[in-house]
Amino acid sequence: NNWDLVAAINGVIPQENGILQSEYGVETLHGPAYGPTSHSAAASSAPSSSSAFRHVVPSRQIVERQPRMLDFRVEYRDRSVDVVLEDSSTVGDIKRILENELQIPASKMLLKGWKTGDVDDSTVLKSLHLPKNNSLYVLTPDLPPPSSSHSGALQESLNQNFMLIVTHREVQREYNLNFSGSSTIQEVKRNVYDLTSIPVRHQLWEGWPSSATDDSMTLAVSGLTFPCHRLTVGRRSSPVQTREQSEEQCTDVHMVSDSDGDDFEDATEFGVDDGEMFGVASSALRKSPMMPENAENEGDALLQFTAEFSSRYGDCHPVYFIGSLEAAFQEAFYGKARDRKLLAIYLHHDESVLTNVFCSQMLCAESIVSYLSQNFITWAWDMTKEANRARFLTMCTRHFGSVVAQTIRTQKTDQFPLFLIIMGKRSSNEVLNVIQGNTTVDELMMRLMAAMEIFSAQQQEDIKDEDEREARENVKREQDEAYRISLEADRAKREAQEREMAEQFRLEQIRKEQEEEREAIRLSLEQSLPPEPKEESTESVSKLRIRTPSGEFFERRFLASSKLQVVFDFVASKGYPWEEYKLLGTFPRRDVTQLDPNKSLLEVKLYPQETLFLEAKE
């Protein structure tokens, strides 16, 4: 009754009885209430719960009960019609009213949405025990559908979620399964196969609408009651029995599937399949484990998990991080603040009845996959094997603390799979949310978005702190760089000064050495000069007067027979070597240093006297 308590109560209280006994005192019942007089005392003194469902004989004080009015909201394509009738009316009366409102012949209408199954036009509404408010819908399979409005309504139906309450007849167990309107009947049957181990072609169904004639039909157009619809499934033991049951329940049993899409099933004959012969569920024979037990390397285990997940549920699934949990932390939490993400840990359990529906319908939904890939690092682990479960609980205790580990440890198998949302903080890792498998796509998305809002607020603070820290570090780096450049400049200046001083010292040393060498040469030349002849010498004497570049003069007498080299040696002994200076004559002007030094002064015409001057060579 869509969680409407009043509607649920109205659905179980018999409306044809009038007023219940509990509404009257004993004094108002003048006659026997139920049967003979001998039973009246027991009935009035100890009324049981069953007495409320027995016929009450009204006394004179009970007035005629007013007719009960029922409200119906009938949906047809993009229209909605409200119908109000007495509960004494029939289903045909509703169709006649709708015929005037919708301009559709009553014979073309299929009125659906009855909680008790299909009814015919002669059925009295009172016999259906309906609540006051009811929702129905009209199908017109014989009329052509409209183009635009119908497509809009169909798209809306495809986006709706249907709750299918499937009862497994043999074990008397109910499964509450959520499917989107775009899912097909074939997908429902395959999911039920995973839960019940009944192959699709052996499934015997009750409760499908008569309009659901093809396994490829989507739930949105199959005529299911929205938002909740009840179905029953059992095993077809033999073709003969199936035909007999189909003939007996032709109005309720539909689509004992013989689809070609069951390639993944064991090709067993009707009756007991191989899995039951060996006491093993056929789904266990079909499936490989999601993760090897006691895997040494977490990366290799997650590679197998990803491959097996893809083989079961297709390639449209979250991108699982391949590596250890510590590596996933490093990837999600320890980068730059702008690049950080939330960590989503998916905990799988093959023995949970919710696993197949959660993986195929929610975890593999395109919206969930896209949102996870953009905002989360997704890491997975299989909790089916006890060794793997213990290993994860150890990791959980180490990284999240004993409280979180105990929370996961106390989760029952049917509460799996679990989805843990982890946010990294400066000092620890915080578990924002633990999402159990019994959820819907919308609720899962809302909880992911709520966690993302918390994370975004924290991330903005981290980005601000990181920017301020980087600004401080940049200022410090700039200061350090300026100080380093200053030190480099000082060191370079000091080294240049040291090099200059060293060069000056080296040049000074060279100069000193050269001066010492020249002085030694001068002294040597001075000592090697022949003695100066006296003025009264009987030999021919040449008197030479030599002017230096500084304007000074020095004179000396030489024998006219002396060689010109003696004059050069004399000039060199005064500090003017002939390699650096040239000796020029006045009249005529000539370069004496160009003459043959072995000739005598007489031969070069430097006799009896001559004035010469020194000039530095260029």
Side-chain angles (χ1 to χ4, degrees):
N1 290 279
N2 198 22
W3 301 103
D4 186 344
L5 180 60
V6 176
I9 294 174
N10 288 334
V12 299
I13 293 179
Q15 303 296 334
E16 67 273 17
N17 289 352
I19 302 175
L20 301 180
Q21 178 191 1
S22 59
E23 299 179 5
Y24 296 90
V26 177
E27 67 276 3
T28 61
L29 301 178
H30 300 282
Y34 316 109
T37 307
S38 60
H39 297 137
S40 61
S44 61
S45 60
S48 64
S49 60
S50 61
S51 65
F53 295 92
R54 299 175 185 172
H55 183 67
V56 178
V57 180
S59 62
R60 289 175 305 189
Q61 288 80 6
I62 299 179
V63 297
E64 183 84 20
R65 196 186 70 143
Q66 295 295 325
R68 183 167 179 261
M69 305 303 292
L70 300 178
D71 295 337
F72 295 90
R73 174 171 286 262
V74 183
E75 304 285 344
Y76 176 66
R77 294 179 179 173
D78 58 345
R79 295 190 57 185
S80 177
V81 179
D82 292 325
V83 179
V84 180
L85 288 174
E86 296 182 3
D87 58 359
S88 59
S89 303
T90 63
V91 175
D93 295 335
I94 299 178
K95 284 189 175 183
R96 281 187 287 275
I97 295 174
L98 293 175
E99 183 176 10
N100 295 329
E101 293 289 336
L102 302 176
Q103 300 300 315
I104 299 173
S107 59
K108 301 291 185 180
M109 292 185 194
L110 294 178
L111 198 56
K112 298 292 183 179
W114 304 104
K115 300 186 183 304
T116 57
D118 292 340
V119 298
D120 54 31
D121 292 356
S122 61
T123 303
V124 179
L125 300 180
K126 183 187 300 184
S127 65
L128 299 178
H129 307 297
L130 297 173
K132 179 175 178 57
N133 298 312
N134 301 271
S135 294
L136 303 175
Y137 60 94
V138 173
L139 297 179
T140 54
D142 297 335
L143 297 180
S147 57
S148 59
S149 61
H150 177 69
S151 60
L154 177 60
Q155 184 61 39
E156 183 179 353
S157 299
L158 291 173
N159 294 331
Q160 291 176 335
N161 286 329
F162 289 82
M163 168 71 79
L164 299 185
I165 304 175
V166 181
T167 302
H168 187 182
R169 186 186 303 111
E170 283 79 6
V171 299
Q172 290 300 308
R173 182 173 182 178
E174 283 190 354
Y175 301 98
N176 296 331
L177 308 178
N178 282 305
F179 289 93
S180 65
S182 59
S183 302
T184 64
I185 296 174
Q186 183 70 23
E187 292 175 3
V188 175
K189 292 186 176 183
R190 289 187 177 182
N191 280 280
V192 171
Y193 164 56
D194 289 326
L195 297 175
T196 63
S197 301
I198 303 176
V200 174
R201 62 174 172 270
H202 294 174
Q203 294 173 5
L204 187 63
W205 288 88
E206 296 178 2
W208 287 105
S210 59
S211 57
T213 57
D214 187 358
D215 282 4
S216 62
M217 183 180 295
T218 62
L219 301 184
V221 300
S222 63
L224 292 177
T225 305
F226 179 80
C228 182
H229 191 91
R230 286 188 172 273
L231 298 169
T232 303
V233 65
R235 177 183 291 275
R236 180 174 59 170
S237 59
S238 68
V240 176
Q241 182 179 354
T242 302
R243 284 196 298 270
E244 291 175 354
Q245 293 177 355
S246 299
E247 291 170 359
E248 293 173 0
Q249 303 176 358
C250 59
T251 59
D252 293 327
V253 179
H254 305 281
M255 300 176 306
V256 177
S257 174
D258 207 4
S259 172
D260 295 335
D262 306 332
D263 302 347
F264 58 94
E265 298 176 11
D266 239 0
T268 55
E269 298 299 327
F270 292 108
V272 181
D273 59 17
D274 295 339
E276 294 171 335
M277 290 172 60
F278 293 96
V280 181
S282 59
S283 61
L285 291 175
R286 182 176 64 87
K287 297 178 182 177
S288 301
M290 293 294 290
M291 185 176 288
E293 191 171 7
N294 294 320
E296 296 181 0
N297 187 291
E298 295 177 13
D300 295 340
L302 286 167
L303 280 174
Q304 177 173 329
F305 184 95
T306 302
E308 181 62 24
F309 196 96
S310 298
S311 67
R312 293 189 190 182
Y313 307 110
D315 294 330
C316 181
H317 61 73
V319 179
Y320 296 115
F321 181 84
I322 304 301
S324 64
L325 185 56
E326 290 81 359
F329 286 156
Q330 191 73 26
E331 180 74 13
F333 304 147
Y334 298 112
K336 287 186 172 293
R338 287 178 173 81
D339 300 331
R340 293 173 193 165
K341 295 184 176 182
L342 286 170
L343 177 63
I345 299 180
Y346 169 62
L347 299 181
H348 185 89
H349 204 303
D350 270 335
E351 295 178 4
S352 172
V353 297
L354 301 173
T355 296
N356 191 67
V357 175
F358 182 84
C359 291
S360 60
Q361 302 298 324
M362 278 158 276
L363 199 57
C364 292
E366 290 186 7
S367 58
I368 300 297
V369 172
S370 176
Y371 196 77
L372 287 174
S373 64
Q374 292 176 7
N375 303 293
F376 291 77
I377 297 295
T378 306
W379 191 82
W381 195 258
D382 183 19
M383 304 286 282
T384 307
K385 303 292 185 181
E386 187 60 35
N388 292 338
R389 176 187 177 91
R391 183 173 179 178
F392 178 78
L393 291 174
T394 301
M395 291 188 288
C396 188
T397 303
R398 182 167 69 249
H399 294 294
F400 309 128
S402 58
V403 175
V404 177
Q406 182 62 23
T407 301
I408 297 174
R409 184 180 288 108
T410 55
Q411 297 291 322
K412 297 179 181 179
T413 299
D414 284 347
Q415 292 175 316
F416 281 84
L418 299 180
F419 216 57
L420 277 62
I421 309 300
I422 315 296
M423 182 174 73
K425 288 197 169 182
R426 298 179 182 87
S427 58
S428 62
N429 300 318
E430 180 182 354
V431 179
L432 294 181
N433 213 331
V434 178
I435 304 174
Q436 295 181 347
N438 56 342
T439 184
T440 63
V441 173
D442 292 339
E443 183 180 357
L444 177 59
M445 178 62 78
M446 289 178 61
R447 297 179 76 171
L448 292 178
M449 294 174 67
M452 193 62 198
E453 288 181 2
I454 299 174
F455 170 73
S456 297
Q458 180 65 44
Q459 187 182 35
Q460 293 304 316
E461 294 182 5
D462 293 343
I463 291 174
K464 181 180 178 182
D465 294 343
E466 188 176 81
D467 290 344
E468 293 176 352
R469 183 171 60 254
E470 287 185 355
R472 292 193 299 269
E473 291 176 354
N474 286 336
V475 172
K476 186 175 182 301
R477 279 196 297 269
E478 291 173 358
Q479 293 174 344
D480 293 345
E481 183 65 15
Y483 181 68
R484 185 189 65 79
I485 292 175
S486 176
L487 290 179
E488 289 287 341
D490 293 342
R491 183 168 61 252
K493 185 177 180 180
R494 186 171 60 253
E495 291 175 353
Q497 291 175 347
E498 291 175 353
R499 284 195 301 270
E500 184 179 357
M501 293 176 62
E503 183 65 18
Q504 290 178 355
F505 179 77
R506 186 182 68 82
L507 294 176
E508 185 67 21
Q509 287 295 108
I510 293 175
R511 188 183 63 80
K512 286 183 179 180
E513 290 175 0
Q514 289 176 348
E515 287 182 355
E516 290 174 357
E517 183 179 359
R518 293 172 72 175
E519 182 64 19
I521 293 173
R522 189 188 67 79
L523 291 175
S524 176
L525 291 174
E526 187 176 10
Q527 292 174 1
S528 65
L529 288 174
E532 183 180 4
K534 297 180 180 180
E535 291 183 2
E536 60 271 12
S537 174
T538 59
E539 297 184 27
S540 300
V541 176
S542 177
K543 185 178 181 180
L544 299 179
R545 189 168 184 264
I546 303 172
R547 184 174 182 265
T548 64
S550 62
E552 297 178 357
F553 287 91
F554 50 84
E555 296 179 358
R556 193 181 191 280
R557 293 182 295 275
F558 298 91
L559 294 173
S561 60
S562 297
K563 295 182 179 180
L564 184 59
Q565 182 64 49
V566 177
V567 178
F568 292 159
D569 292 342
F570 169 74
V571 173
S573 68
K574 296 298 183 181
Y576 301 98
W578 67 281
E579 295 89 354
E580 299 179 12
Y581 293 88
K582 53 187 178 181
L583 194 61
L584 303 176
T586 54
F587 300 104
R589 183 178 175 84
R590 57 177 178 164
D591 187 357
V592 177
T593 53
Q594 296 295 325
L595 301 178
D596 188 358
N598 292 320
K599 290 185 178 182
S600 65
L601 299 180
L602 183 61
E603 292 175 336
V604 297
K605 300 178 180 180
L606 293 179
Y607 175 80
Q609 63 181 11
E610 186 71 32
T611 299
L612 304 173
F613 61 92
L614 291 169
E615 185 179 288
K617 291 182 178 181
E618 294 180 358

